[in-house]
Amino acid sequence: MFTLASCPQAVRSKLAVMAVWALAWALMTALDPQAELANLALLLVLASALCGLWLSALESLACCALAVLAFNWQFVPPRGTFSVDLRQHLWLLLTMLAVGSMVAWLTGRQRQVAEQARAAAQSAQLLHQVNEQLRQATPAEGAAFLASALRSLSQGELAWSLAHQAEAPPQAPLLHCDWGEPSAEDRALLQECQRSASPLEQGLQQGQSQVQLALPLRGATQCHGAALLRLPPGLSLSPLQRSTAQALCDQAGLQLERRQTEQRAQRSSEAAQAQQLRNTLLAAISHDYRTPLATILGAASTLRHQWGKLSPTQANALAGTIVDEVEQLSTLTDNTLQLARLDAPHARLQRDWESLEELVGSAVARARSRYPGVRMGLRIEAGLPLLRCNATLLVQLLNNLVDNAVRYAGSGPAIEIVARRLESELLLAVADRGPGIPSAQRERLFQAFERGPASPQDPQRPSQRGAGLGLALCRAIVLAHGGQITVRQRQRGGASIECRFPLETQPSAQPEALEGDLPPVPAPARPQEDTA
């Protein structure tokens, strides 16, 4: 069904001009017997001004000149001729032509200026929209946004290639083409545009005149691809549209370059942090290995060279010193290796369903054998669900927390291990009655190579030595299991380090243990609360 709205803009403009002149001529014809010639001339000037709303300046001038000639033919005596009475009507016609032409030209010019301003505003709005879309978009999404904007701007077909998808531009693969498989000429035009980083234009001859416009995706330092616009037959882009299309492509190129720069900066930062961590780790380990190695060497040398002169008590003390220092070295080595593994990129954690009571029992058995003079208290809630975790890491977590409590709280007060359920979480805490942790140190307590204050009961204990990796490893273990670790000051003195692990839905039947590089911990018997 034909409607006026379905007509092109140029056709609608011509119809409007014809309607204005038809109405003006009908009014002049109707008023001809009663109105004077000068009054009829005003209607012609008004019609010329109105037609300038739809016509260009030159079209308005031509239309006004034709209208004056027609007015002279029909209304100026002698009618039906172009003869003019020089005294009565010549100046009227000249005035009509001058005023009508001036009004029509100004109106048409003003319309062109308004159209240019409107086009510039639309161009700025389009650039802003595409820039906002490109800010957080991936390269593929950014290419789609750019393609949509170029299509809406030119009403043409599009092909594009992105250099960031290939290691060796300009041999970048063509990612998309609206007209099917691109020809060798299309690929060559894209590659040449990308190589030269300048717009290129090529004509096509397919029954009707067609033009292809290649636009580079330029960044600040290099060209990141090219876009190829195939315009409809007979259509050409205005200078503003060309500059807008190139600005859109440059925006995409800058966003691609920014993303690449961010990725390179992130990789460089990660590499620098990893290198700094390795250097610090090596320095700390080399420093903290010296004292136990020197002690072991001294005790072993004494046993070797003074064996016959030593009493059994002295020999047993030296052997105990060697065992203590070896245990210290073993703990330091285990913490260092596990921290390095958990901090490695793409670290993969092998987990299985484990009983928290058995894990606590393994840690308690080790603590009682290592610290026979320390009182241990257990508060384990009955009926705790299974925890999907890595048993080796959870036991090491408990061992480090117990060692930390003994190191900084002393052997006098009791150390408590608490395990209970908190809605959708499982709480595991190790509490002591030591001096507590100052609030200023709590924020950096879990950082590597940070050490807490010494025990006031025995500030010179050998157990005060350490590289400061224990709590850093605890934090890494908890985070690897998706949990949180915090420090809470107890009301009657002391500190409680609390770990919260999220509970997952348990399977109906316990699956077989996963094979991994972290072996499971053998499960001892369930411990009972130490009342000593």
Side-chain angles (χ1 to χ4, degrees), residues 230-262:
R230 176 173 289 183
L231 302 179
L235 179 66
S236 61
L237 296 182
S238 66
L240 177 61
Q241 289 175 322
R242 285 175 178 262
S243 62
T244 302
Q246 184 58 64
L248 289 172
C249 293
D250 290 343
Q251 276 188 342
L254 288 172
Q255 291 297 333
L256 287 172
E257 188 166 276
R258 179 185 63 82
R259 183 171 292 274
Q260 291 180 359
T261 303
E262 290 176 352

Side-chain angles (χ1 to χ4, degrees), residues 236-305:
S236 61
L237 296 182
S238 66
L240 177 61
Q241 289 175 322
R242 285 175 178 262
S243 62
T244 302
Q246 184 58 64
L248 289 172
C249 293
D250 290 343
Q251 276 188 342
L254 288 172
Q255 291 297 333
L256 287 172
E257 188 166 276
R258 179 185 63 82
R259 183 171 292 274
Q260 291 180 359
T261 303
E262 290 176 352
Q263 292 174 353
R264 286 195 294 266
Q266 182 177 2
R267 289 194 295 268
S268 300
S269 177
E270 291 175 353
Q273 291 178 359
Q275 184 62 39
Q276 182 180 5
L277 177 62
R278 286 193 292 268
N279 294 339
T280 307
L281 198 61
L282 289 174
I285 291 175
S286 61
H287 177 270
D288 287 288
Y289 267 53
R290 288 179 181 176
T291 301
L293 286 176
T295 303
I296 293 172
L297 181 62
S301 298
T302 302
L303 287 174
R304 179 181 180 182
H305 297 293

